Amino acid sequence: MSRENQGPDEGGAEAPEQLALIRESVRKAKVPRAKPRTWRGAAVAGALPVARVLVDKGVLHLDRYFDYAVPEELDAVAQPGVRVRVRFGAGARNVRDGRREGGGLIDGFIVERCAESDYQGPLAALAQVVSPEPVLDERLLGLARAVADRYAGSLADVLQLAVPPRHARAEARESGEAPAPPDAPEPGSWRRYGHGAEFLGALASGGAPRAVWTALPGPEWAEEIARAVQATLASGRGALVVVPTGRPAARVDAALTELLGEGRHALLTADAGQEKRYGEWLAVRRGAVRAVVGTRAAMFAPVRDLGLVVIWDDGDSSHSDDHAPFPHVREVLELRASRDKCGFLLGSWSCTVEAAQLVESGWAAPLVAERDQVRAAAPLVRTVGDGDLARDEAARAARLPTLAWRAVREGLKHGPVLVQVPRRGYVPRLACERCREPARCRHCAGPLEARESTGALCCGWCGRDEAAWHCGACGGFRLRAQVVGARRTAEELGRAFPAVPVRTSGREQVLDTVPGAPALVVSTPGAEPVAEGGYAAALLLDGWAMLGRPDLRAGEDALRRWIGAASLVRPQGVGGTVVIVAEPTLRPVQALVRWDPVGHAVRELSERAELSFPPVSRMAAVSGTAEALSGFLAGAELPPDAVVLGPVPVAETTPGPSRRPGAAPPGEHWERVLIRVPPGSGAALAASLKTAQAARMARGARGVKGARGAGSSGGARGSKGAREAGAAADAVWIRVDPLDIG
DNA sequence: AGCACGCCGACT
DNA sequence: GTCGGCGTGCTC
């Protein structure tokens, strides 16, 4: 049943403007098309009087547009892409005595101007055009929609990531003119790679090459990226570079300034203020700046005539957005490269399984150096395994094997020495030092943990203290336990090498660079300072801890972090040495010794294929109460080749600073299924999940609380009885490409 | 989410 | 008759 408020003057041939106010609702035969009009009888735009608006209201509407009438006075500014404010809500149609009540003002974007609407009813008018700046052009909208589809998320959620909040002062400033394109660069150190010069040449001549680039260790990568950008600019196109954090962003920024001069590129990072951020973004959108380097939010930067997208170090978890629908920079840039037919460059010292897959599928070409180039650039890597440690009683007590000791002492004669220590709290699980049997609670067999505060042993499941643990398998009573933090390692090393300054770099305080003079630099992974002239040596401690995590990516991640540290060390030709304390038979350790991250990734990839694991198969996780989950699955029309794994109980909300999205709210029991589809069915899976979710929302199921950020929780649980409790219980969380599997 | 509509029981 | 609680459905 439709409830049209058709006025008496309805359906005639009168001009769209100057329509009388609608009074009481009069039911009439359906009129095929609604005429735009405004409530107070104000005039509407003559041509294209309907504005199709994307209302920015989260998960509610999924991907629907709403039509509004364009008042005459807004005709000129109400162009596609501009931000608007509109009345939205049930109250908006409460028409009595010509007064509209309720229906608050909310933000939206005009997506399109049309001659008529297919909505059968009177249109409300745009309340306000916030600014004439067309921030959401067709390209960006298309990309946002593709990302929403890929991740089974809502368009509005993606737009929140893609369009920064407006800042009026920034908008008022002129952005200036785009400078003339620079000359094409010399290949420089790109010559070290088989097809490096060729790749640059293709970019400079307007081509769209796609490459997975395994960067040689050392500091040249930033300049190499800058040269690729310059080559793209030389072709008259724009370029976009996304790096994981502010530090590498600063390096690429410096390299671009060096190569292109000031003012030819924008730096888009999270720590800039809103005004600066929006100003830079606008300069990019307006075409005044053609090159962008930034962290993950920059992946949506509206670069004009995009010719190249670059992602550096795609294995870094910072590339995964932490807002719904959790898009990953690599995936978004892949979409951009495909949609805009532009070049694509994925660079890393290491290699993810996903990168290997891009090469294997033929989507991108490998961009690698010859073996002798690798040997010339990489340090010498030596291992200290369990066997060596066992034979090395004295060193064991000091946690520093003889070989490592010697490498440090030797290195310190020639320059700074890096010591990489896993972060505290990076502990996998406690195990018997002698036989490696995991340490379990004698009551419930849960994993034993060391209490944060006291270090005392307790059970991670039942919480009981364990005062006198001994190994059930071999009777040993020593645990291989906590990773010693960077600070304590620094103290120990300071005592061992009293004449040498010791510096630490970690989460709280990250050092950017250290001088080339002899010093011990103790750092957690990812926080390693760059040393002037490179480190003379590096020591990678507690490798077992890095590998011990119950995660599909543990091996790949460990190798990435080791290579990240080892890449800061001088080449072996000038004495650069790395000592890693880890079992030399383990695959990632061997890959480090051989400096073969690609081989490692390729092997992982084939194993994942055999096991039907991502990224070969695509997975999605759906979580909620048992009831909501079964209801969702019953209603979903999954692709025929989908396999549903589970449900299994969701791990209790982890006690920690950030509650993981998809974890059960406190006091609720949630379950999770993983849904897996074979290669080629990923899009169908996402579509079916989105459809099922939309259908559920349309019926009573209330939106997922906190879908827009992990924070918000329960609401008015239990207060108003079944309705609200039922609504919360109905909600399910959907995450395509969940991170924590394995 | 909000909000209005409408159905049904209770009461001046 | 009419008031108001709450279940249902819509938002241009």
Side-chain angles (χ1 to χ4, degrees), chain A residues 81-105:
Chain A
V82 302
R83 293 180 211 260
V84 291
R85 311 257 295 156
V86 294
R87 297 214 165 268
F88 188 86
R93 86 189 124 75
N94 173 22
V95 198
R96 291 265 157 82
D97 312 324
R99 301 226 133 215
R100 300 174 59 246
E101 290 139 36
L105 280 175

Side-chain angles (χ1 to χ4, degrees), chain A residues 53-69:
Chain A
V53 173
L54 177 86
V55 171
D56 186 16
K57 213 158 181 277
V59 75
L60 216 186
H61 48 76
L62 292 149
D63 287 344
R64 284 175 51 211
Y65 298 135
F66 292 87
D67 290 347
Y68 285 82

Side-chain angles (χ1 to χ4, degrees), chain A residues 242-290:
Chain A
V242 185
V243 298
T245 62
R247 284 205 313 159
R251 298 203 190 290
V252 177
D253 180 47
L256 281 169
T257 305
E258 173 88 8
L259 216 55
L260 302 171
E262 298 280 346
R264 301 210 46 150
H265 68 277
L267 177 63
L268 263 42
T269 54
D271 44 67
Q274 277 209 347
E275 177 174 1
K276 184 166 191 299
R277 204 165 158 194
Y278 187 59
E280 299 264 28
W281 189 88
L282 269 186
V284 172
R285 203 207 64 72
R286 291 167 174 174
V289 174
R290 312 296 312 275

Side-chain angles (χ1 to χ4, degrees), chain A residues 181-186 196-209 227-237 307-308 343:
Chain A
D183 292 333
E186 289 296 308
E198 205 180 307
F199 184 78
L200 286 204
L203 289 174
S205 61
R227 281 179 197 271
V229 169
Q230 186 183 355
T232 310
L233 294 179
S235 74
R237 299 174 297 170
L308 174 69

Side-chain angles (χ1 to χ4, degrees), chain A residues 409-676:
Chain A
R409 198 183 50 196
E410 192 59 31
L412 284 172
K413 289 181 189 162
H414 305 284
V417 172
L418 176 67
V419 181
Q420 186 195 57
V421 199
R423 283 193 54 208
R424 278 175 109 245
Y426 207 79
V427 192
R429 40 178 76 116
L430 299 179
C432 172
E433 188 183 60
R434 207 191 312 172
C435 75
R436 296 280 193 98
E437 183 73 13
R440 302 215 160 270
C441 171
R442 70 178 87 172
H443 298 105
C444 73
L448 292 185
E449 294 170 355
R451 248 186 233 291
E452 282 260 324
S453 47
T454 59
L457 274 185
C458 68
C459 172
W461 289 355
C462 69
R464 267 188 267 247
D465 284 316
E466 175 57 85
W469 175 86
H470 68 92
C471 177
C474 76
F477 57 91
R478 286 181 64 147
L479 282 167
R480 185 174 238 238
Q482 77 270 29
V483 172
V484 177
R487 181 128 295 154
R488 223 182 85 199
T489 305
E491 286 167 14
E492 287 177 9
L493 287 169
R495 261 179 267 127
F497 298 93
V500 183
V502 183
R503 315 192 57 185
T504 58
S505 180
R507 233 174 127 60
E508 322 78 57
Q509 215 205 341
V510 178
L511 296 175
D512 191 46
T513 54
V514 293
L520 276 164
V521 181
V522 182
S523 172
T524 54
E528 297 91 350
V530 172
E532 257 173 63
Y535 290 99
L539 187 54
L540 311 177
L541 293 178
D542 294 329
W544 60 274
M546 298 259 232
L547 290 169
R549 292 180 312 140
D551 185 308
L552 205 53
R553 281 185 195 280
E556 173 189 311
D557 244 21
L559 177 57
R560 198 184 120 258
R561 300 185 136 134
W562 296 334
I563 282 190
S567 292
L568 305 175
V569 178
R570 298 169 193 167
Q572 58 186 300
V574 291
T577 307
V578 171
V579 174
I580 175 166
V581 183
E583 203 45 52
T585 54
L586 297 171
R587 189 194 288 174
V589 181
Q590 291 185 350
L592 176 70
V593 172
R594 290 197 313 273
W595 207 280
D596 183 21
V598 174
H600 183 265
V602 166
R603 226 158 327 145
E604 285 278 309
L605 179 64
S606 70
E607 257 175 37
R608 303 267 188 98
E610 269 170 42
L611 298 168
S612 299
F613 277 156
V616 179
S617 297
R618 184 162 306 167
M619 282 213 192
V622 183
S623 50
T625 63
E627 192 192 3
L629 205 49
S630 60
F632 178 86
L633 291 172
E637 279 187 51
L638 299 174
D641 47 13
V643 178
V644 178
L645 310 167
V648 295
V650 166
E652 284 295 316
T653 305
T654 39
S658 60
R659 211 180 81 217
R660 205 178 286 158
E668 286 186 28
H669 293 286
W670 278 25
E671 296 184 341
R672 180 173 92 158
V673 293
L674 289 172
I675 305 170
R676 188 179 73 200

Side-chain angles (χ1 to χ4, degrees), chain A residues 8-387:
Chain A
D9 46 21
E10 187 55 42
E14 70 278 334
E17 61 266 11
Q18 296 223 344
L19 288 170
L21 218 40
I22 314 305
R23 295 189 202 227
E24 289 301 298
S25 52
V26 177
R27 286 180 191 190
K28 271 178 83 169
K30 281 185 187 171
V31 187
R33 301 260 130 142
K35 300 272 180 186
R37 82 199 79 180
T38 67
W39 291 109
R40 295 183 195 282
V44 302
L48 304 178
V50 175
R52 195 146 285 168
V53 173
L54 177 86
V55 171
D56 186 16
K57 213 158 181 277
V59 75
L60 216 186
H61 48 76
L62 292 149
D63 287 344
R64 284 175 51 211
Y65 298 135
F66 292 87
D67 290 347
Y68 285 82
V70 180
E72 196 169 49
E73 69 271 19
L74 295 182
D75 186 17
V77 284
Q79 293 304 313
V82 302
R83 293 180 211 260
V84 291
R85 311 257 295 156
V86 294
R87 297 214 165 268
F88 188 86
R93 86 189 124 75
N94 173 22
V95 198
R96 291 265 157 82
D97 312 324
R99 301 226 133 215
R100 300 174 59 246
E101 290 139 36
L105 280 175
I106 62 171
D107 296 314
F109 300 94
I110 295 183
V111 161
E112 157 178 38
R113 288 279 298 265
C114 323
E116 40 185 29
S117 166
D118 45 15
Y119 177 66
Q120 322 217 328
L123 301 183
L126 296 176
Q128 186 193 348
V129 171
V130 177
S131 94
E133 191 81 35
V135 287
L136 181 63
D137 63 20
E138 220 168 303
R139 246 225 161 108
L140 187 51
L141 177 64
L143 174 65
R145 186 182 287 128
V147 172
D149 289 346
R150 164 71 176 72
Y151 287 95
S154 84
L155 185 56
D157 277 351
V158 178
L159 285 179
Q160 196 125 26
L161 307 176
V163 183
R166 183 178 114 95
H167 191 283
R169 205 174 333 141
E171 201 170 84
R173 264 201 309 276
E174 300 273 324
S175 291
E177 296 275 305
D183 292 333
E186 289 296 308
S189 54
W190 274 114
R191 286 206 191 82
R192 301 180 297 165
Y193 301 88
H195 299 285
E198 205 180 307
F199 184 78
L200 286 204
L203 289 174
S205 61
R210 302 200 282 231
V212 168
W213 163 42
T214 307
L216 289 165
E220 295 86 359
W221 65 274
E223 188 195 314
E224 283 156 3
I225 286 177
R227 281 179 197 271
V229 169
Q230 186 183 355
T232 310
L233 294 179
S235 74
R237 299 174 297 170
L240 167 62
V241 181
V242 185
V243 298
T245 62
R247 284 205 313 159
R251 298 203 190 290
V252 177
D253 180 47
L256 281 169
T257 305
E258 173 88 8
L259 216 55
L260 302 171
E262 298 280 346
R264 301 210 46 150
H265 68 277
L267 177 63
L268 263 42
T269 54
D271 44 67
Q274 277 209 347
E275 177 174 1
K276 184 166 191 299
R277 204 165 158 194
Y278 187 59
E280 299 264 28
W281 189 88
L282 269 186
V284 172
R285 203 207 64 72
R286 291 167 174 174
V289 174
R290 312 296 312 275
V292 172
V293 54
T295 46
R296 71 170 178 255
M299 65 183 159
F300 290 106
V303 176
R304 289 280 175 92
D305 304 317
L306 193 58
L308 174 69
V309 290
V310 183
I311 174 173
W312 172 253
D313 198 11
D314 67 311
D316 191 303
S317 61
S318 299
H319 281 307
S320 187
D321 206 295
D322 50 5
H323 295 288
F326 312 102
H328 192 286
V329 172
R330 182 186 48 240
E331 308 290 330
V332 172
L333 295 188
E334 277 177 51
L335 283 170
R336 292 191 81 162
S338 296
R339 298 172 54 82
D340 291 2
K341 301 193 172 39
C342 71
F344 175 92
L345 179 62
L346 181 159
S348 177
W349 284 325
S350 195
C351 186
T352 60
V353 177
E354 285 82 358
Q357 192 186 28
L358 289 179
V359 173
E360 205 210 49
S361 71
W363 192 85
L367 192 46
V368 293
E370 294 295 325
R371 211 52 227 173
D372 56 338
Q373 288 282 357
V374 177
R375 266 193 297 271
L380 176 71
V381 181
R382 310 187 60 183
T383 61
V384 182
D386 279 354

